[in-house]
């Protein structure tokens, strides 16, 4: 698919000032994106649950200006953040071709997260998707003929250029990003809502995020994805991920929860296996990550439960379970898992529907 449909061709009017606020969620991948090529094209397709409670709220104030450069300030929790600027500058430079109208405005960006800043939860997905949605609201104000479906697709396209996983944070509850032969409409350029019926057991799926390690990420995603270049197992991994997405698609439709558990946990461990076997190599799990995994396996066996885990590129554990086990699993987490978290902290979340204008 070509990117030309996202290039705005008309000459835009310039308005004096306007402002938009969007709340966009984080997401948790079931089949992982790990490995990309320029410009932010994934080496394999991925799928994620969109979350509900972990989100970013971003307001952008646009004020007309004369100069023709990219001009913005970023505030996080009310504090001006010079150190956030390089990443966002790079993002604006990348999307300029698609959103030339941003040059007409000084942009004041105000952002806050619902989750603690230093929680080890990646905020790039919710952060970049929120900026993308604010830009799309501006584009709509400048050209009211654009449909909401197009604007959402373009928002995902832009968010991807900021952070790959951000392309999966516009819609919900399940989003596929990356071209895949068994997922109609899937694209390397943007995320799409999973297009088939999903079994009721996966409705309102629960995700409790155990904050095992709240430190700064040991490996930035840029470094991490780069580890897949010249990685001895990379090509096999990309094939496997695409096969796993095909399998998961069937599992989601049939409601085959036992296979879901096996596939999702294997994906998480494979992601970490890629880091264990790269050069340089990294161990991103902490001792408590393994303690939690073993407790989850024991609880599952002892109680015939459908609880399972997944991991991001860090030590925190996402505990996934169906809604009908909520009460029992929450008690288990409180009794047995909270002690492995820093300051006993965890976040209760579940699947959500994506970006909301405030
Ligand atoms: C392990 O989307 O953070 O969470 O495109 O470089 O911003 P960039 O990477 P990013 O990578 C996410 C990797 C992951 C798996 C996933 O979310 O699919």
């Amino acid at each position: 698919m070509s990117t030309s449909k996202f290039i705005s061709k008309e000459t835009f009017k310039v308005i004096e000032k306007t402002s938009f606020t969007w709340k966009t969620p984080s997401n948790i991948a079931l089949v992982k994106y790990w490995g990309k090529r320029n410009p932010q094209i994934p080496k394999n397709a991925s799928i994620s649950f969109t979350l509900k409670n972990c989100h970013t709220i971003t307001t952008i104030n646009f004020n007309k200006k004369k100069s023709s450069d990219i001009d913005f300030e970023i505030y996080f929790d009310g504090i001006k953040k010079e150190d956030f600027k390089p990443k966002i500058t790079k993002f604006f430079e990348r999307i300029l071709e698609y959103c030339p109208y941003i040059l007409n405005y000084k942009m004041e960006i105000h952002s806050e997260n619902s989750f603690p800043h230093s929680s080890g939860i990646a905020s790039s997905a919710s952060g970049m998707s929120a900026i993308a949605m604010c830009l799309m609201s501006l584009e709509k104000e400048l050209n009211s003929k654009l449909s909401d479906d197009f604007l959402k697709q373009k928002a995902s396209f832009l968010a991807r250029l900021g952070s790959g996983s951000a392309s999966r944070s516009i819609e919900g509850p399940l989003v596929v990003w990356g071209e895949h032969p068994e997922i109609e409409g899937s694209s390397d350029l943007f995320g799409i809502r999973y297009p088939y019926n999903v079994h009721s057991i996966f409705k309102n799926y629960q995700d409790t995020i155990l904050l095992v390690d709240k430190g700064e990420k040991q490996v930035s995603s840029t470094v991490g994805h780069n580890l897949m270049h010249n990685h001895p197992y990379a090509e096999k991994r990309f094939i496997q991920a695409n096969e796993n997405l095909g399998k998961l698609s069937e599992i989601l439709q049939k409601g085959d929860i036992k296979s879901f558990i096996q596939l999702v946990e294997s994906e998480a461990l494979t992601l970490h296996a890629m880091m264990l076997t790269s050069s340089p190599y990294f161990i991103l799990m902490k001792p408590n990550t393994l303690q939690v995994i073993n407790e989850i396996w024991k609880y599952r066996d002892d109680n015939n439960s459908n609880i399972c885990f997944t991991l991001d590129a860090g030590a925190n554990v996402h505990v996934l379970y169906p809604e009908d086990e909520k009460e029992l699993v929450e008690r288990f987490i409180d009794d047995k898992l909270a002690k492995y978290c820093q300051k006993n902290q965890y976040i209760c979340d579940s699947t959500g529907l994506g970006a909301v204008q405030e």
Side-chain angles (χ1 to χ4, degrees), residues 224-258:
H225 289 286
N226 278 337
L227 295 174
M228 292 302 273
H229 298 306
N230 304 318
H231 189 295
Y233 309 131
E235 289 314 312
K236 187 75 188 85
R237 161 61 194 158
F238 303 140
I239 294 168
Q240 179 202 44
N242 281 328
E243 283 171 1
N244 276 347
L245 180 47
K247 286 183 194 159
L248 186 60
S249 180
E250 260 189 67
I251 289 169
L252 290 169
Q253 293 175 63
K254 285 198 189 131
D256 180 358
I257 194 149
K258 299 291 175 212

Side-chain angles (χ1 to χ4, degrees), residues 210-237:
L210 305 179
L211 304 178
V212 169
D213 182 33
K214 304 201 290 172
E216 278 283 306
K217 272 191 173 178
Q218 191 185 331
V219 181
S220 74
S221 56
T222 312
V223 172
H225 289 286
N226 278 337
L227 295 174
M228 292 302 273
H229 298 306
N230 304 318
H231 189 295
Y233 309 131
E235 289 314 312
K236 187 75 188 85
R237 161 61 194 158

Side-chain angles (χ1 to χ4, degrees), residues 43 90 116 164 175 177 194 241 243 252 319:
K43 287 286 201 165
K90 200 164 149 202
V175 176
W177 168 46
Y194 177 70
E243 283 171 1
L252 290 169
V319 188

Side-chain angles (χ1 to χ4, degrees), residues 33 35 44 62 67 71 89 131 151 161 165 185 193-194 214 221 240 277 303 321 324 326 335 344 348 352 356:
Y33 147 58
N44 61 262
F62 297 91
S67 58
D71 188 357
T89 303
I131 295 178
L151 290 171
L161 292 168
S165 57
R193 205 163 353 138
Y194 177 70
K214 304 201 290 172
S221 56
Q240 179 202 44
T277 50
N303 299 280
Y321 47 99
D324 65 6
K326 188 168 158 46
D335 287 352
N344 291 312
C348 295
V356 178

Side-chain angles (χ1 to χ4, degrees), residues 27 29 31-34 36 40 46 87 124 162-166 168 217 221-222 225 271 312-313:
N27 67 71
V31 171
K32 309 289 181 183
Y33 147 58
W34 199 243
K36 63 179 170 183
Q40 293 282 101
S46 58
K87 190 165 183 188
S124 63
S163 177
S165 57
R168 302 188 311 239
K217 272 191 173 178
S221 56
T222 312
H225 289 286
L271 170 70
D312 261 342

